[in-house]
Amino acid sequence: MDIFTGPKLLDFKNSPLHLQFNKYVLTGYRPISTCRDCLRSLFYLHNEFGNIYTHGALPIIHITLLCYPSSRRVAMLAYLLLSGYGVHCAVSAQSNVHRLQSFAWQAIFRFVLFMLRLTGAGRGSPAALRLYLTMDTLALLGGLVNISRLPERFSPGRFDYWFNSHQIMHIMVVLSIVYLHWGTLEDLTWLKGYHCPSE
């Protein structure tokens, strides 16, 4: 029997037990939780750590604002607080769309840092900027694939096991983390030979 022409999974209750591990699959990412539940969820063995790392841009902030120590500290604190708020919104989101929107402020923050680099006000390796832009593009595309439910939207049941939007999103997030890593390596190499101009 071909898995692509087999019976279609119509509802959660009638699906095989091994596919019933995520009771929130039909109602959004997670139900509304208390603050305590949200904090506890940060320690789940889940890809949340990858998501946070991808949206954790502390090395980008440090290098971009290298010659502005006071601004760098304020920006790092602001980004950490914004990240905490974003994670809270993501884990209590009622849909994948709201979950993706939870990280919008972080993306805007990083975009401002990228603009500082492009205009010369910020520091860092030019090669790293290209890698960081690729990182954010992959993360955004992964999120859009996930909320649009492509490709399973066009062929229900065919992608229940392989190549569904959720799996594609995870692959893109992992690739995004790789680009963040490569960008950070470029910045660290650049940093070895750079000294801030004295005033």
Side-chain angles (χ1 to χ4, degrees):
M1 178 166 124
D2 182 54
I3 64 168
F4 298 120
T5 59
K8 308 295 185 225
L9 299 177
L10 299 176
D11 61 22
F12 186 77
K13 191 169 87 174
N14 293 324
S15 65
L17 287 177
H18 68 277
L19 293 177
Q20 293 184 11
F21 60 90
N22 185 355
K23 64 183 177 182
Y24 305 115
V25 74
L26 299 175
T27 60
Y29 188 67
R30 292 188 184 129
I32 295 178
S33 302
T34 65
C35 186
R36 182 178 172 188
D37 290 338
C38 289
L39 290 174
R40 258 194 351 232
S41 75
L42 294 177
F43 300 99
Y44 293 167
L45 292 177
H46 186 263
N47 76 312
E48 217 57 63
F49 295 114
N51 290 339
I52 293 166
Y53 181 70
T54 304
H55 306 293
L58 296 182
I60 299 171
I61 295 169
H62 181 81
I63 300 292
T64 302
L65 300 175
L66 182 67
C67 299
Y68 310 100
S70 297
S71 298
R72 184 178 64 226
R73 283 190 284 278
V74 169
M76 285 187 167
L77 178 61
Y79 195 82
L80 285 172
L81 293 172
L82 193 60
S83 296
Y85 177 72
V87 168
H88 167 72
C89 291
V91 298
S92 60
Q94 293 297 299
S95 71
N96 284 335
V97 173
H98 290 119
R99 185 163 191 267
L100 182 61
Q101 289 172 344
S102 301
F103 297 107
W105 288 110
Q106 290 169 301
I108 292 168
F109 198 104
R110 287 190 306 274
F111 181 75
V112 169
L113 293 171
F114 299 156
M115 292 306 296
L116 287 174
R117 285 188 179 206
L118 280 172
T119 61
R123 305 296 183 256
S125 166
L129 182 58
R130 178 182 51 81
L131 294 166
Y132 294 145
L133 289 170
T134 303
M135 169 199 75
D136 270 342
T137 301
L138 285 169
L140 177 63
L141 288 175
L144 291 174
V145 165
N146 192 41
I147 64 174
S148 65
R149 298 289 184 230
L150 294 173
E152 63 267 18
R153 169 182 287 192
F154 298 114
S155 186
R158 186 172 187 164
F159 299 98
D160 288 342
Y161 296 104
W162 298 103
F163 307 115
N164 60 57
S165 59
H166 193 80
Q167 291 170 338
I168 294 169
M169 179 271 299
H170 280 283
I171 290 167
M172 294 183 91
V173 166
V174 168
L175 288 173
S176 180
I177 293 169
V178 170
Y179 275 89
L180 171 62
H181 176 74
W182 288 340
T184 302
L185 289 178
E186 285 286 337
D187 268 345
L188 291 175
T189 302
W190 172 89
L191 184 60
K192 288 180 185 177
Y194 184 81
H195 299 286
C196 290
S198 55
E199 307 241 1

